[in-house]
Amino acid sequence: MKALLIVDIQYDFCQGGALAVPDGDTIIPTVNKLIDHFDVIVQTQDWHPEGHSSFASSHQDKEPFDTVEMDYGTQVLWPDHCVQGSKGAEFHEDLNTLKSQVIIRKGFRRAIDSYSTFFENDQKTATGLTGYLKQRGITDLYTVGLATDFCVKWSILDGIDEGFNMHIVEDAVKGIDLDGSLDEAWDEMKKKGVKVTQSEDILS
Ligand code: VGL
Ligand code: ZN
């Protein structure tokens, strides 16, 4: 059984947002069309407390897009974004969220960031999504959303490790691209065995 995984289509990742993904909101009409073709819809929501450790503003002498060493490895530092309860953390109003059955919030622990919707960035702390999907008999996840080279990529890599067939809908994702991170993400996902598909293959 298949499900649609909609990653982080929130104002802060869209045009004018704090961490805008270039052309991020242009995928929304395609995502809305895909929603009609799935019975199970899972959404993720980046959901940080103020002063989150992934914010450059939480570190002395650091700028957005610098990196810092955390207990769990290297962490990119971001502009403050998707702060719990803020407008930027809300789903974009053009996105049809009515059919979403579960919303996985991530990044809510101050000391750990979470790109993947399966595990936080320590690669150990589970979100519970695996259990939810397995109990519902889901075998195939079709992934769309933002950003290809961070939350989409890590969700796909972890999803494969968790035993799911992970598909990426190429025309329904957009990336940030820091120093070639977008090409690298595609290479990593393909090497790991992601199945690349186009929205028209699903919609036709
Ligand atoms: C994301 C950076 C920081 C994402 C979230 O959704 O890809 N990227 N937080
Ligand atoms: Zn974030």
Side-chain angles (χ1 to χ4, degrees):
M1 186 149 88
K2 61 187 183 135
L4 184 66
L5 174 65
I6 305 173
V7 178
D8 294 0
I9 303 190
Q10 296 165 257
Y11 281 116
D12 271 343
F13 297 121
C14 293
Q15 201 181 0
L19 181 43
V21 178
D23 299 322
D25 27 2
T26 64
I27 63 172
I28 295 176
T30 307
V31 174
N32 284 337
K33 282 188 208 146
L34 288 167
I35 287 169
D36 291 336
H37 287 252
F38 286 83
D39 295 324
V40 182
I41 316 269
V42 177
Q43 261 189 268
T44 74
Q45 188 171 27
D46 213 40
W47 193 248
H48 300 304
E50 278 178 28
H52 191 255
S53 56
S54 77
F55 297 168
S57 63
S58 305
H59 302 263
Q60 256 177 9
D61 304 324
K62 291 286 185 186
E63 298 291 331
F65 313 111
D66 286 348
T67 57
V68 69
E69 291 308 314
M70 304 281 209
D71 298 342
Y72 55 78
T74 305
Q75 169 72 46
V76 179
L77 296 175
W78 305 104
D80 291 22
H81 66 279
C82 297
V83 173
Q84 295 169 3
S86 69
K87 180 77 183 172
E90 289 176 15
F91 296 121
H92 194 291
E93 63 185 341
D94 294 343
L95 179 70
N96 174 15
T97 60
L98 296 181
K99 269 182 84 178
S100 300
Q101 298 161 350
V102 68
I103 296 169
I104 298 285
R105 286 179 166 166
K106 54 187 184 55
F108 53 78
R109 287 186 179 80
R110 195 174 302 267
I112 320 181
D113 201 8
S114 185
Y115 295 148
S116 159
T117 185
F118 292 96
F119 293 100
E120 302 195 16
N121 287 10
D122 62 359
Q123 290 282 293
K124 285 198 285 272
T125 306
T127 63
L129 183 61
T130 298
Y132 178 86
L133 295 173
K134 293 216 160 148
Q135 278 201 309
R136 296 204 54 189
I138 305 299
T139 53
D140 286 69
L141 267 185
Y142 287 76
T143 313
V144 300
L146 310 171
T148 315
D149 36 351
F150 290 92
C151 292
V152 169
K153 175 187 93 171
W154 283 104
S155 295
I156 284 172
L157 298 180
D158 284 351
I160 292 170
D161 280 337
E162 291 292 272
F164 298 100
N165 297 316
M166 295 300 294
H167 306 255
I168 186 167
V169 187
E170 192 173 6
D171 57 319
V173 293
K174 291 284 179 196
I176 295 173
D177 203 12
L178 294 181
D179 299 326
S181 62
L182 190 52
D183 283 345
E184 213 175 291
W186 279 105
D187 285 347
E188 280 178 81
M189 290 189 286
K190 286 177 179 167
K191 234 206 233 136
K192 188 100 183 174
V194 75
K195 296 172 172 56
V196 182
T197 183
Q198 311 298 322
S199 62
E200 64 180 19
D201 297 333
I202 299 166
L203 299 173
S204 59

